[in-house]
Each structure stands twice: as C-alpha cells, then as structure tokens.
Amino acid sequence: SGTIKALEELKLLLALSKTPEYIESYDISHTGGEDNVAGMIVFKNGRPLKRAYRTFNIKSFTGQDDYGSMREVISRRFNEYLKCKDENTEEGFGKMPDLILLDGGKGQLSQAENVISKIFTDPDIKKPLLLAVTKGEGRKEGLETFVVGYTRETINLSLDDPAMQIVLHIRDESHRFAITGHRNRRSKAR
C-alpha cells in the first residue's frame, strides 16, 4: 500500500536498519502560557494507534516555555520507559519507538536530544531516532525540511513526496491532539 511505501522511503532517507513501524509524535499547546499541555500520539504501521495516545499536563513551571514543556514531556515519557521496558510490550511506555517526530524545529530537537542523552547513558540501550519538522526556507518552492536528531542532517522533500506526506500527516495529527488536550484542560480549569 501507499503507507507501507512511504514508511519504506522514510527508512531509506534516514538510513534506518528497519522500517519505522512504531512512531511517536509530540506537540505542545497552550494559550499565552496558560494550561500547558503536551500531546503524544502513536502511529503503528502507518496508522493511528489511538489507545496509545497520551496527554501530559505540564507541571514543572507556569508561563510560556515550549522548550521547558518539551523537556518535561520527553523526560516523563522515557523515565516511564525505563520503569516498563522489561515488560516486552507491543505498545505503551514499555515500547521503544522506532522514530520520534517533533514539531518546532531545531530548538525543540535540542531539548529532546539533551533529555534523551541524560536518560540513556547505557550504551547498550539504543536511543530513539529524533526527527524535527522545521519551517524551512524551501517552503516557497513547495518543499518541507526535516532535521535529523544527533547529526543535524537536513533533508528537503517535496510536499507530494510519500515520506513527507506521512510525516506531515503524523505531525498534523499530533498538533490536533495537543490542541484538543489543551482545550479540555482549559475548560476543566474554568
């Protein structure tokens, strides 16, 4: 199917040893720094795995700090992984994602890299691959830009490229989910 081809293309682009079957994506949502929420969504084999979606209410600070929010959500998620990793689960916090998508560019990418490097000090545990979708200069020509975690390699792809389409689909879903989580938190606060 087209989805499988897109995942295969993503594997080749990112020089992965296997097709990224389990992908997590994170997005931050708030209104002027109030009711900060991070949404985590999961795609398995190119399809939304809604039962694995999670909303994180950001607790470590108040005010607008998307970097602080990203640090907190990645830290909470992977500290849970360390607690659950021996359960051999097919989904949930005990599952190591093949790929993590971040919306927000190099700044968000740096935050996630720093947290993951502090958590995964054991060289035997393979760190998850990070990929940031940035608002690159190529937008005028109909290109989107990825930045690969740890290497900072940039990849420009056309919007109609299958690998780009699946990445943007996942990113858009994480954005939608984070906004929904934020609205729910805001209405509870009222």
Side-chain angles (χ1 to χ4, degrees), residues 14-189:
L14 301 173
L16 298 171
S17 57
K18 72 183 196 82
T19 304
E21 294 165 6
Y22 199 86
I23 300 172
E24 290 180 1
S25 183
Y26 294 84
D27 198 12
I28 310 297
S29 185
H30 56 77
T31 303
E34 304 254 323
D35 303 317
N36 289 285
V37 167
M40 176 192 109
I41 67 150
V42 176
F43 269 54
K44 190 170 183 177
N45 296 317
R47 293 198 162 75
L49 186 66
K50 294 198 176 198
R51 66 180 175 265
Y53 285 23
R54 295 291 179 268
T55 302
F56 296 82
N57 290 329
I58 301 301
K59 303 171 184 168
S60 59
F61 61 87
T62 54
Q64 187 170 343
D65 183 355
D66 287 358
Y67 292 168
S69 296
M70 186 58 73
R71 279 193 305 272
E72 180 179 325
V73 69
I74 296 292
S75 178
R76 285 168 62 187
R77 192 280 181 236
F78 285 101
N79 280 313
E80 283 301 312
Y81 169 78
L82 292 178
K83 290 179 201 165
C84 305
K85 71 181 190 317
D86 297 327
E87 295 168 13
N88 260 341
T89 58
E90 286 302 306
E91 61 189 61
F93 290 137
K95 172 89 173 150
M96 176 65 80
D98 299 315
L99 181 63
I100 294 174
L101 293 180
L102 305 169
D103 193 25
K106 291 179 184 173
Q108 297 285 39
L109 186 61
S110 291
Q111 302 307 314
E113 285 170 340
N114 290 340
V115 169
I116 286 173
S117 294
K118 285 183 182 128
I119 292 173
F120 294 104
T121 54
D122 182 344
D124 294 335
I125 299 178
K126 190 175 178 288
K127 292 187 276 200
L129 181 66
L130 300 168
L131 191 62
V133 183
T134 68
K135 291 160 183 66
E137 304 81 55
R139 272 223 162 136
K140 295 174 202 83
E141 295 92 54
L143 298 175
E144 282 282 347
T145 305
F146 300 146
V147 181
V148 181
Y150 315 111
T151 66
R152 295 306 165 106
E153 177 190 357
T154 57
I155 299 170
N156 292 301
L157 288 178
S158 148
L159 292 175
D160 50 11
D161 186 284
M164 179 55 79
Q165 286 180 343
I166 195 161
V167 167
L168 294 178
H169 177 58
I170 294 169
R171 186 215 41 202
D172 293 348
E173 173 66 3
S174 67
H175 187 65
R176 181 205 62 76
F177 183 69
I179 288 171
T180 302
H182 166 65
R183 285 184 183 139
N184 291 343
R185 183 177 183 187
R186 201 172 62 198
S187 63
K188 279 181 193 157

